[in-house]
Structures are given as C-alpha cells and as structure tokens.
Amino acid sequence: MPYFVDSNVIIGYIFDNADTFGKQSKIVLKGVEDIYSGPTVHNECFGIDENGKCNTITQKITREFRRAIKELKNNLPIDRLLILIKEWKTCQILTEMILNYKNNIKLLIEIIRASQATFEADCDFRRNKIDDLVHFCDRDLPYLEIRDKLEEFIPDPDDVPVVLDAHHVGLKIENLMLISGNYWDISVYKRQICKNTSLADVIYLKYFVAI
C-alpha cells in the first residue's frame, strides 16, 4: 500500500530510540517502495540552510550527552543523574549505560563518549537515506475549497498544508494512506479528512501495522 508520511515518521526514523516513534517509523519505512511526502514535511524536517527540526533535535541530543559527561565528572550521584535524564531524548540510551557501568565512572564516561559518536554517525547515515526512501512531491495547486473545509475541524492551521500535500499526491496515487504521529490534530479526524480529500485512510503512527 502507498503511504504519505508526516514529519514525525521521518524524524522518528532518523533518531530511532531517541524518539517516541522510532520503532514504528522504522517499520513504516522498511522495505516499502511507495512512500511519499510533500514540501511542508520536508521544510519542517530539514528547513532552509539546515534550520529544520532535525538539526534542532541533533543539537539537543549532543547537549544531553555532553551534560551527562559533565555531571559525572562533577561527581553527581548516579541516582540523581538518573532523575536528571528522565525527560531527555537520550534517556533510554543513557540509562542502560549508566546502570551497566555505574561502578566504574571513568569507563562510563568513555562509553558515553563512544556511544555519542556512534549514535550521531547512525543518525547521519539514516538522514542521508531519506531521499532514497521517500518521494517528496511538490504541490503547485492551493486547493482552496478543500483547505477551507479542513480548517473547519483541524485545530492547528499549520497541519492543514500537510493534508493538502497528501491530497495532491493522492489524486495521482490510488489508495494513498496518510501516516501521522499527530493524533489530536490529524489522526483523530480521519473520517472527515477522508471524506474531503483523495486519501483512502489516515493512520496514527503509534498504532501502525505494516500491511
């Protein structure tokens, strides 16, 4: 089945276990040729001059690794470090290392440094694969009537262009399904979206099962 992916699919794929939707995103993009997206998603992820969300997230993750190392060097107790990182994107990654090497702080610091380098290289690798996995299609029509209908029920107007991009692709690709991790602004309105656009279905990324 052909899919149109929202930005959270691409971000989840790139950042893997540092992202809420990492596991599901990899399933979506694994071994399926008919994956599409649009200019709104591309700009949100990668922006202009590398100012998109992916660059922002990369910087945040780098700061988290460095902060963990700094706190260990400053002799922050392990239990307090585990509390500090609880809401971090790297929580899962760091927690496993901390618990495994907590009795050897010097080795733990080196393990974290090595893990950071590996993680960043893996993210760069997956980022460079995106253009091979996803067909980004431009949209040259405004679809004003459909936009007006979508704005009646989609709470965030910034999400409307994503749906319009998907509708544009769906006019050419039969049975196109929109996959989004944005439940309350997009996925919850699947019935209304499908009624007013060319899309065959809208699937919440968290509940995605490969078809």
Side-chain angles (χ1 to χ4, degrees):
M1 297 291 290
Y3 306 137
F4 184 101
V5 295
D6 200 353
S7 58
N8 26 53
V9 179
I10 293 173
I11 290 171
Y13 173 80
I14 292 173
F15 295 102
D16 195 12
N17 56 351
D19 187 89
T20 304
F21 296 116
K23 181 179 179 180
Q24 290 87 352
S25 297
K26 290 176 74 175
I27 295 173
V28 173
L29 296 182
K30 183 179 179 181
V32 179
E33 294 182 0
D34 298 331
I35 303 289
Y36 301 89
S37 197
T40 306
V41 168
H42 191 280
N43 289 339
E44 183 177 349
C45 290
F46 309 116
I48 300 172
D49 298 327
E50 300 296 322
N51 288 325
K53 280 187 176 181
C54 288
N55 189 51
T56 301
I57 294 170
T58 297
Q59 293 174 350
K60 179 177 176 60
I61 289 173
T62 296
R63 288 195 297 269
E64 289 178 0
F65 276 115
R66 291 175 177 173
R67 174 78 184 279
I69 291 172
K70 177 183 176 181
E71 297 297 348
L72 287 167
K73 286 183 173 181
N74 289 337
N75 300 314
L76 183 72
I78 292 297
D79 58 341
R80 289 180 59 189
L81 180 58
L82 290 172
I83 293 172
L84 175 66
I85 69 173
K86 195 172 182 181
E87 302 300 324
W88 290 8
K89 286 185 172 294
T90 53
C91 178
Q92 178 183 340
I93 301 168
L94 288 170
T95 298
E96 183 177 353
M97 290 185 288
I98 291 168
L99 293 178
N100 287 337
Y101 299 98
K102 62 184 179 181
N103 295 322
N104 189 334
I105 300 302
K106 183 177 180 180
L107 177 59
L108 174 56
I109 290 173
E110 293 306 312
I111 293 292
I112 292 175
R113 281 200 180 107
S115 177
Q116 177 184 352
T118 300
F119 182 82
E120 290 174 350
D122 288 345
C123 288
D124 286 342
F125 175 77
R126 289 188 293 269
R127 163 62 186 97
N128 292 330
K129 285 185 64 178
I130 288 295
D131 287 337
D132 294 328
L133 296 172
V134 180
H135 306 288
F136 288 98
C137 304
D138 289 332
R139 172 166 62 90
D140 54 1
L141 296 171
Y143 301 109
L144 296 179
E145 290 186 9
I146 296 176
R147 185 197 66 187
D148 290 343
K149 291 179 181 178
L150 294 174
E151 288 179 344
E152 291 177 3
F153 56 84
I154 293 180
D156 187 348
D158 289 341
D159 290 316
V160 171
V162 175
V163 179
L164 290 174
D165 290 347
H167 166 73
H168 181 72
V169 177
L171 292 174
K172 303 173 184 177
I173 305 296
E174 291 185 1
N175 298 315
L176 185 68
M177 296 186 291
L178 169 60
I179 302 176
S180 175
N182 191 340
Y183 182 79
W184 292 110
D185 287 329
I186 293 182
S187 301
V188 74
Y189 298 105
K190 63 179 292 182
R191 182 182 61 81
Q192 296 98 314
I193 290 173
C194 291
K195 179 180 178 181
N196 290 286
T197 69
S198 62
L199 295 169
D201 201 357
V202 178
I203 301 172
Y204 181 41
L205 177 56
K206 184 177 180 180
Y207 302 142
F208 177 83
V209 177
I211 298 176

